[in-house]
Amino acid sequence: MTHETTPDPRPSRTPSTLVRGRWVLTAAPDGAATPAVVRDGAVLLQGDRVAEVGTWADLSARHPGAAVRGGPHDVVTPGFVNTHGHFSEGLVTGIASQYTLWEWLHALIDKVNPVMHDAAAHAGTTLQAIQLLRSGVTTANDMFCSDPGTGAPVTPGVVRALDEVGLRGVVSFGSGDADRDFGFDAIAREWDALRGAAEGSRLSTFRVGISVVGRQTPEALERSVAYAAEHGAGVHIHLQEVREEVTATFQRTGRTPVAHCAHEGLFSVPTIAAHCVWVDRDDRALLAEHRVGVAHNPVANMILASGIAPVAELRALGVDVGIGVDGPASNDAQDYLQAMKAAALLARTRELRATAMSAREAFEMATIGGARALRMDEAVGSLEPGKKADVVVLDGDSPALANVHDPYQAVVFVAGSREVKEVWVDGEPSVADGDVVRVDPAEAVRAARPVAERLVAEAGLGRLSALTGGPLDGTERF
Ligand SMILES: [Zn+2]
């Protein structure tokens, strides 16, 4: 055999890919060099970046050697930015929805948190990341919530799972030391472990998590801000999800949680706040003044009966508002298209006005709005040259998208997860032909089942979970 003289019969690695669509929705701002909508368009991907956006006729003529994905009837969009979620709830979905938030924390989350471990983090994250990808998410901002133990850290399992499935992560660990038997140092140890895992990952970046202000001692809040500043990290926190939280913090500090965070210097680091349902005029002004991003979670807010966030008022003040699915125990589906649709529906129902949120506004919140809220809009959130190649292709040959009269309405109101045909993350396919390609979903399900049974048994969820023989009518109370 003389390899030197025999040409390699395998095709060389294609240097570029053209993703084609009847509609390319770029989420580029008005006035940008890239138009917001390209009819009969294409996106040229080179390596991990978007290289060009233009018409199919032009790009295909100039790049005849590029591989072609998508098709002449498809809808091409930026990957969706999920601005809030909890992979820590990945093994406890469809449970305890009979409770409002604080009851739900007591009945479910406070029982799961002490017994969480790395294998459960990995198994739960894998299940949920698969579902997020199938609904077009390419960036997931997560807050893993559990009690930090003295044993091995838990959260590296999240980063490992995201790298395996091919989903970009903004990973944080949120806990609190108030009235608990562990101290801040235990929380910081978990942050160190998660930060180290993220630094070793191509797709994940680290943020400091704070579950809620009320679960932090004053010293812990101060040290959290210092930790974020020291490591150049942003913060991911829940703020004013329910009225009880506002009242409790006001009684303790004399300020609302938003005002308390501003006073304590938290907003001196880039902060994304989940929910902001019960924010008054002063709170809203503070969020705008400090450029705090807001993650709006319409489905979870409805399931837990928390209320309706004043999204229009926040946006009018210039606050960057993105959309989140929230955790799989509080939503409970990890379906981003469902959450995006719910955002538009809830805004319209709140104001009894069909123009309260247009399909285009919901789409922009789901893409570039979420990226801005995370201060990642230089890299993701729109299809513009130089940005990361995070792309979604919706199947224009599906019955749902056979006749697209308005591409924004088609994406926001018509498309479901089954229309998600391809998802590219960082220039590589994570979903092809409608399913994930980098892991075997059936194997992920098989692996997760015994881990979930063990978690439910150790957490003592017998009265809530049918996995351990609980009742099945969803009415079990304390
Ligand atoms: Zn949450």
mmCIF file of all heavy atoms in Angstrom, residues 240-276:
data_model
loop_
_atom_site.group_PDB
_atom_site.id
_atom_site.type_symbol
_atom_site.label_atom_id
_atom_site.label_comp_id
_atom_site.label_asym_id
_atom_site.label_seq_id
_atom_site.Cartn_x
_atom_site.Cartn_y
_atom_site.Cartn_z
ATOM 1 N N GLN A 240 -38.741 38.951 42.788
ATOM 2 C CA GLN A 240 -40.136 39.389 42.904
ATOM 3 C C GLN A 240 -41.075 38.566 42.025
ATOM 4 O O GLN A 240 -41.912 39.088 41.310
ATOM 5 C CB GLN A 240 -40.210 40.911 42.662
ATOM 6 C CG GLN A 240 -39.268 41.612 43.659
ATOM 7 C CD GLN A 240 -39.385 43.128 43.752
ATOM 8 O OE1 GLN A 240 -38.499 43.746 44.314
ATOM 9 N NE2 GLN A 240 -40.457 43.727 43.291
ATOM 10 N N GLU A 241 -40.903 37.248 42.188
ATOM 11 C CA GLU A 241 -41.769 36.308 41.457
ATOM 12 C C GLU A 241 -43.167 36.300 42.067
ATOM 13 O O GLU A 241 -44.157 36.217 41.352
ATOM 14 C CB GLU A 241 -41.147 34.897 41.515
ATOM 15 C CG GLU A 241 -41.954 33.813 40.809
ATOM 16 C CD GLU A 241 -41.226 32.479 40.753
ATOM 17 O OE1 GLU A 241 -40.104 32.389 41.312
ATOM 18 O OE2 GLU A 241 -41.757 31.519 40.163
ATOM 19 N N VAL A 242 -43.219 36.343 43.403
ATOM 20 C CA VAL A 242 -44.514 36.332 44.091
ATOM 21 C C VAL A 242 -44.552 37.464 45.121
ATOM 22 O O VAL A 242 -43.526 37.950 45.576
ATOM 23 C CB VAL A 242 -44.787 34.983 44.796
ATOM 24 C CG1 VAL A 242 -44.998 33.873 43.777
ATOM 25 C CG2 VAL A 242 -43.673 34.614 45.757
ATOM 26 N N ARG A 243 -45.762 37.859 45.502
ATOM 27 C CA ARG A 243 -45.919 38.976 46.432
ATOM 28 C C ARG A 243 -45.339 38.651 47.807
ATOM 29 O O ARG A 243 -44.814 39.515 48.492
ATOM 30 C CB ARG A 243 -47.405 39.335 46.541
ATOM 31 C CG ARG A 243 -47.643 40.619 47.280
ATOM 32 C CD ARG A 243 -48.949 41.281 46.885
ATOM 33 N NE ARG A 243 -50.058 40.340 46.828
ATOM 34 C CZ ARG A 243 -51.299 40.693 46.527
ATOM 35 N NH1 ARG A 243 -51.594 41.935 46.269
ATOM 36 N NH2 ARG A 243 -52.264 39.804 46.480
ATOM 37 N N GLU A 244 -45.427 37.368 48.197
ATOM 38 C CA GLU A 244 -44.891 36.981 49.510
ATOM 39 C C GLU A 244 -43.398 37.312 49.624
ATOM 40 O O GLU A 244 -42.913 37.699 50.680
ATOM 41 C CB GLU A 244 -45.087 35.475 49.745
ATOM 42 C CG GLU A 244 -46.535 35.038 49.898
ATOM 43 C CD GLU A 244 -47.180 34.661 48.570
ATOM 44 O OE1 GLU A 244 -46.823 35.259 47.525
ATOM 45 O OE2 GLU A 244 -48.066 33.783 48.574
ATOM 46 N N GLU A 245 -42.671 37.126 48.522
ATOM 47 C CA GLU A 245 -41.230 37.409 48.536
ATOM 48 C C GLU A 245 -40.980 38.894 48.783
ATOM 49 O O GLU A 245 -40.090 39.274 49.543
ATOM 50 C CB GLU A 245 -40.618 36.990 47.183
ATOM 51 C CG GLU A 245 -39.126 37.267 47.077
ATOM 52 C CD GLU A 245 -38.614 37.263 45.633
ATOM 53 O OE1 GLU A 245 -39.262 36.686 44.751
ATOM 54 O OE2 GLU A 245 -37.564 37.880 45.395
ATOM 55 N N VAL A 246 -41.784 39.729 48.141
ATOM 56 C CA VAL A 246 -41.615 41.182 48.298
ATOM 57 C C VAL A 246 -41.894 41.573 49.748
ATOM 58 O O VAL A 246 -41.116 42.296 50.382
ATOM 59 C CB VAL A 246 -42.556 41.944 47.342
ATOM 60 C CG1 VAL A 246 -42.330 43.455 47.471
ATOM 61 C CG2 VAL A 246 -42.335 41.492 45.904
ATOM 62 N N THR A 247 -42.985 41.055 50.299
ATOM 63 C CA THR A 247 -43.372 41.392 51.669
ATOM 64 C C THR A 247 -42.312 40.938 52.667
ATOM 65 O O THR A 247 -41.911 41.691 53.565
ATOM 66 C CB THR A 247 -44.721 40.717 52.011
ATOM 67 O OG1 THR A 247 -45.662 41.076 51.005
ATOM 68 C CG2 THR A 247 -45.225 41.156 53.368
ATOM 69 N N ALA A 248 -41.845 39.693 52.504
ATOM 70 C CA ALA A 248 -40.890 39.151 53.475
ATOM 71 C C ALA A 248 -39.592 39.952 53.459
ATOM 72 O O ALA A 248 -39.037 40.280 54.522
ATOM 73 C CB ALA A 248 -40.602 37.678 53.149
ATOM 74 N N THR A 249 -39.093 40.287 52.282
ATOM 75 C CA THR A 249 -37.840 41.054 52.213
ATOM 76 C C THR A 249 -38.046 42.475 52.714
ATOM 77 O O THR A 249 -37.169 43.042 53.384
ATOM 78 C CB THR A 249 -37.301 41.054 50.762
ATOM 79 O OG1 THR A 249 -37.036 39.707 50.396
ATOM 80 C CG2 THR A 249 -36.023 41.861 50.643
ATOM 81 N N PHE A 250 -39.205 43.044 52.424
ATOM 82 C CA PHE A 250 -39.479 44.405 52.901
ATOM 83 C C PHE A 250 -39.505 44.443 54.423
ATOM 84 O O PHE A 250 -38.964 45.365 55.051
ATOM 85 C CB PHE A 250 -40.812 44.920 52.324
ATOM 86 C CG PHE A 250 -40.925 46.411 52.375
ATOM 87 C CD1 PHE A 250 -40.487 47.191 51.313
ATOM 88 C CD2 PHE A 250 -41.439 47.047 53.501
ATOM 89 C CE1 PHE A 250 -40.561 48.573 51.363
ATOM 90 C CE2 PHE A 250 -41.515 48.429 53.562
ATOM 91 C CZ PHE A 250 -41.076 49.203 52.497
ATOM 92 N N GLN A 251 -40.103 43.408 55.035
ATOM 93 C CA GLN A 251 -40.159 43.370 56.501
ATOM 94 C C GLN A 251 -38.764 43.247 57.101
ATOM 95 O O GLN A 251 -38.473 43.788 58.157
ATOM 96 C CB GLN A 251 -41.035 42.203 56.956
ATOM 97 C CG GLN A 251 -42.515 42.485 56.759
ATOM 98 C CD GLN A 251 -43.388 41.324 57.184
ATOM 99 O OE1 GLN A 251 -42.985 40.174 57.121
ATOM 100 N NE2 GLN A 251 -44.602 41.628 57.616
ATOM 101 N N ARG A 252 -37.890 42.527 56.424
ATOM 102 C CA ARG A 252 -36.555 42.273 56.961
ATOM 103 C C ARG A 252 -35.590 43.431 56.704
ATOM 104 O O ARG A 252 -34.752 43.761 57.540
ATOM 105 C CB ARG A 252 -36.000 40.982 56.321
ATOM 106 C CG ARG A 252 -34.730 40.440 56.953
ATOM 107 C CD ARG A 252 -34.443 39.017 56.477
ATOM 108 N NE ARG A 252 -34.290 38.918 55.044
ATOM 109 C CZ ARG A 252 -33.157 39.174 54.390
ATOM 110 N NH1 ARG A 252 -32.082 39.528 55.042
ATOM 111 N NH2 ARG A 252 -33.094 39.056 53.072
ATOM 112 N N THR A 253 -35.725 44.063 55.518
ATOM 113 C CA THR A 253 -34.713 45.057 55.123
ATOM 114 C C THR A 253 -35.257 46.463 54.956
ATOM 115 O O THR A 253 -34.492 47.416 54.817
ATOM 116 C CB THR A 253 -34.065 44.660 53.772
ATOM 117 O OG1 THR A 253 -35.058 44.779 52.741
ATOM 118 C CG2 THR A 253 -33.533 43.242 53.806
ATOM 119 N N GLY A 254 -36.590 46.593 54.904
ATOM 120 C CA GLY A 254 -37.167 47.910 54.637
ATOM 121 C C GLY A 254 -37.144 48.278 53.164
ATOM 122 O O GLY A 254 -37.446 49.416 52.793
ATOM 123 N N ARG A 255 -36.794 47.317 52.323
ATOM 124 C CA ARG A 255 -36.740 47.574 50.884
ATOM 125 C C ARG A 255 -37.346 46.397 50.127
ATOM 126 O O ARG A 255 -37.363 45.274 50.625
ATOM 127 C CB ARG A 255 -35.298 47.744 50.395
ATOM 128 C CG ARG A 255 -34.506 48.810 51.081
ATOM 129 C CD ARG A 255 -33.098 48.932 50.477
ATOM 130 N NE ARG A 255 -32.282 49.744 51.362
ATOM 131 C CZ ARG A 255 -31.473 49.250 52.305
ATOM 132 N NH1 ARG A 255 -31.349 47.939 52.437
ATOM 133 N NH2 ARG A 255 -30.794 50.053 53.084
ATOM 134 N N THR A 256 -37.774 46.650 48.904
ATOM 135 C CA THR A 256 -38.170 45.527 48.046
ATOM 136 C C THR A 256 -36.896 44.764 47.663
ATOM 137 O O THR A 256 -35.791 45.310 47.755
ATOM 138 C CB THR A 256 -38.841 46.028 46.759
ATOM 139 O OG1 THR A 256 -37.872 46.747 45.985
ATOM 140 C CG2 THR A 256 -40.048 46.919 47.052
ATOM 141 N N PRO A 257 -37.031 43.522 47.217
ATOM 142 C CA PRO A 257 -35.831 42.789 46.791
ATOM 143 C C PRO A 257 -35.039 43.530 45.718
ATOM 144 O O PRO A 257 -33.802 43.567 45.768
ATOM 145 C CB PRO A 257 -36.397 41.462 46.268
ATOM 146 C CG PRO A 257 -37.627 41.253 47.094
ATOM 147 C CD PRO A 257 -38.209 42.629 47.268
ATOM 148 N N VAL A 258 -35.731 44.145 44.741
ATOM 149 C CA VAL A 258 -35.010 44.893 43.696
ATOM 150 C C VAL A 258 -34.237 46.050 44.318
ATOM 151 O O VAL A 258 -33.044 46.249 44.042
ATOM 152 C CB VAL A 258 -35.998 45.414 42.620
ATOM 153 C CG1 VAL A 258 -35.310 46.433 41.704
ATOM 154 C CG2 VAL A 258 -36.554 44.250 41.790
ATOM 155 N N ALA A 259 -34.910 46.821 45.181
ATOM 156 C CA ALA A 259 -34.246 47.971 45.803
ATOM 157 C C ALA A 259 -33.104 47.508 46.707
ATOM 158 O O ALA A 259 -32.052 48.153 46.785
ATOM 159 C CB ALA A 259 -35.266 48.789 46.600
ATOM 160 N N HIS A 260 -33.299 46.375 47.378
ATOM 161 C CA HIS A 260 -32.254 45.855 48.261
ATOM 162 C C HIS A 260 -31.026 45.451 47.442
ATOM 163 O O HIS A 260 -29.892 45.754 47.827
ATOM 164 C CB HIS A 260 -32.800 44.668 49.059
ATOM 165 C CG HIS A 260 -31.876 44.201 50.139
ATOM 166 N ND1 HIS A 260 -31.497 45.014 51.184
ATOM 167 C CD2 HIS A 260 -31.242 43.019 50.325
ATOM 168 C CE1 HIS A 260 -30.657 44.348 51.975
ATOM 169 N NE2 HIS A 260 -30.493 43.127 51.474
ATOM 170 N N CYS A 261 -31.248 44.774 46.331
ATOM 171 C CA CYS A 261 -30.123 44.377 45.476
ATOM 172 C C CYS A 261 -29.375 45.605 44.957
ATOM 173 O O CYS A 261 -28.139 45.618 44.909
ATOM 174 C CB CYS A 261 -30.609 43.542 44.294
ATOM 175 S SG CYS A 261 -31.096 41.874 44.745
ATOM 176 N N ALA A 262 -30.123 46.628 44.554
ATOM 177 C CA ALA A 262 -29.481 47.859 44.064
ATOM 178 C C ALA A 262 -28.658 48.490 45.191
ATOM 179 O O ALA A 262 -27.507 48.884 44.985
ATOM 180 C CB ALA A 262 -30.546 48.835 43.562
ATOM 181 N N HIS A 263 -29.248 48.527 46.386
ATOM 182 C CA HIS A 263 -28.574 49.146 47.539
ATOM 183 C C HIS A 263 -27.304 48.395 47.914
ATOM 184 O O HIS A 263 -26.295 48.988 48.309
ATOM 185 C CB HIS A 263 -29.550 49.183 48.718
ATOM 186 C CG HIS A 263 -29.008 49.852 49.940
ATOM 187 N ND1 HIS A 263 -28.406 49.152 50.968
ATOM 188 C CD2 HIS A 263 -28.954 51.154 50.280
ATOM 189 C CE1 HIS A 263 -28.016 50.002 51.896
ATOM 190 N NE2 HIS A 263 -28.331 51.229 51.524
ATOM 191 N N GLU A 264 -27.347 47.064 47.811
ATOM 192 C CA GLU A 264 -26.201 46.241 48.225
ATOM 193 C C GLU A 264 -25.162 46.085 47.114
ATOM 194 O O GLU A 264 -24.186 45.346 47.274
ATOM 195 C CB GLU A 264 -26.694 44.853 48.659
ATOM 196 C CG GLU A 264 -27.607 44.877 49.877
ATOM 197 C CD GLU A 264 -26.906 45.459 51.115
ATOM 198 O OE1 GLU A 264 -25.778 45.035 51.406
ATOM 199 O OE2 GLU A 264 -27.497 46.356 51.755
ATOM 200 N N GLY A 265 -25.384 46.717 45.979
ATOM 201 C CA GLY A 265 -24.364 46.705 44.922
ATOM 202 C C GLY A 265 -24.418 45.515 43.991
ATOM 203 O O GLY A 265 -23.518 45.326 43.164
ATOM 204 N N LEU A 266 -25.456 44.701 44.118
ATOM 205 C CA LEU A 266 -25.524 43.511 43.255
ATOM 206 C C LEU A 266 -25.538 43.887 41.777
ATOM 207 O O LEU A 266 -24.907 43.227 40.941
ATOM 208 C CB LEU A 266 -26.780 42.691 43.591
ATOM 209 C CG LEU A 266 -26.963 41.424 42.752
ATOM 210 C CD1 LEU A 266 -25.940 40.375 43.114
ATOM 211 C CD2 LEU A 266 -28.359 40.856 42.892
ATOM 212 N N PHE A 267 -26.255 44.979 41.463
ATOM 213 C CA PHE A 267 -26.416 45.328 40.051
ATOM 214 C C PHE A 267 -25.162 45.981 39.460
ATOM 215 O O PHE A 267 -25.171 46.369 38.301
ATOM 216 C CB PHE A 267 -27.628 46.245 39.869
ATOM 217 C CG PHE A 267 -28.938 45.628 40.284
ATOM 218 C CD1 PHE A 267 -30.001 46.420 40.702
ATOM 219 C CD2 PHE A 267 -29.118 44.244 40.252
ATOM 220 C CE1 PHE A 267 -31.210 45.856 41.074
ATOM 221 C CE2 PHE A 267 -30.318 43.664 40.626
ATOM 222 C CZ PHE A 267 -31.375 44.471 41.037
ATOM 223 N N SER A 268 -24.098 46.061 40.276
ATOM 224 C CA SER A 268 -22.837 46.550 39.718
ATOM 225 C C SER A 268 -22.209 45.482 38.818
ATOM 226 O O SER A 268 -21.321 45.775 38.031
ATOM 227 C CB SER A 268 -21.855 46.928 40.838
ATOM 228 O OG SER A 268 -21.527 45.777 41.595
ATOM 229 N N VAL A 269 -22.668 44.229 38.947
ATOM 230 C CA VAL A 269 -22.243 43.185 38.013
ATOM 231 C C VAL A 269 -23.432 42.872 37.095
ATOM 232 O O VAL A 269 -24.585 43.064 37.482
ATOM 233 C CB VAL A 269 -21.769 41.901 38.752
ATOM 234 C CG1 VAL A 269 -20.501 42.183 39.539
ATOM 235 C CG2 VAL A 269 -22.845 41.347 39.657
ATOM 236 N N PRO A 270 -23.160 42.391 35.877
ATOM 237 C CA PRO A 270 -24.266 42.101 34.948
ATOM 238 C C PRO A 270 -25.231 41.097 35.563
ATOM 239 O O PRO A 270 -24.829 40.010 35.989
ATOM 240 C CB PRO A 270 -23.553 41.504 33.730
ATOM 241 C CG PRO A 270 -22.153 42.017 33.808
ATOM 242 C CD PRO A 270 -21.844 42.125 35.275
ATOM 243 N N THR A 271 -26.495 41.481 35.653
ATOM 244 C CA THR A 271 -27.478 40.656 36.351
ATOM 245 C C THR A 271 -28.647 40.351 35.439
ATOM 246 O O THR A 271 -29.150 41.239 34.749
ATOM 247 C CB THR A 271 -27.992 41.399 37.607
ATOM 248 O OG1 THR A 271 -26.887 41.675 38.468
ATOM 249 C CG2 THR A 271 -29.015 40.547 38.367
ATOM 250 N N ILE A 272 -29.074 39.079 35.459
ATOM 251 C CA ILE A 272 -30.347 38.723 34.844
ATOM 252 C C ILE A 272 -31.269 38.233 35.947
ATOM 253 O O ILE A 272 -30.878 37.414 36.778
ATOM 254 C CB ILE A 272 -30.211 37.692 33.704
ATOM 255 C CG1 ILE A 272 -31.578 37.493 33.026
ATOM 256 C CG2 ILE A 272 -29.621 36.366 34.172
ATOM 257 C CD1 ILE A 272 -31.501 36.850 31.660
ATOM 258 N N ALA A 273 -32.469 38.810 35.980
ATOM 259 C CA ALA A 273 -33.433 38.510 37.035
ATOM 260 C C ALA A 273 -34.626 37.782 36.439
ATOM 261 O O ALA A 273 -35.247 38.266 35.489
ATOM 262 C CB ALA A 273 -33.891 39.806 37.700
ATOM 263 N N ALA A 274 -34.925 36.621 37.006
ATOM 264 C CA ALA A 274 -36.073 35.870 36.534
ATOM 265 C C ALA A 274 -37.353 36.417 37.161
ATOM 266 O O ALA A 274 -37.366 36.782 38.341
ATOM 267 C CB ALA A 274 -35.924 34.396 36.889
ATOM 268 N N HIS A 275 -38.389 36.490 36.355
ATOM 269 C CA HIS A 275 -39.774 36.780 36.741
ATOM 270 C C HIS A 275 -40.114 38.267 36.821
ATOM 271 O O HIS A 275 -40.808 38.771 35.955
ATOM 272 C CB HIS A 275 -40.152 36.050 38.027
ATOM 273 C CG HIS A 275 -39.969 34.573 37.914
ATOM 274 N ND1 HIS A 275 -40.655 33.813 36.992
ATOM 275 C CD2 HIS A 275 -39.152 33.705 38.557
ATOM 276 C CE1 HIS A 275 -40.281 32.543 37.079
ATOM 277 N NE2 HIS A 275 -39.354 32.450 38.024
ATOM 278 N N CYS A 276 -39.728 38.956 37.907
ATOM 279 C CA CYS A 276 -40.091 40.375 38.064
ATOM 280 C C CYS A 276 -41.592 40.573 37.806
ATOM 281 O O CYS A 276 -41.994 41.451 37.029
ATOM 282 C CB CYS A 276 -39.256 41.258 37.149
ATOM 283 S SG CYS A 276 -37.492 41.174 37.533
#
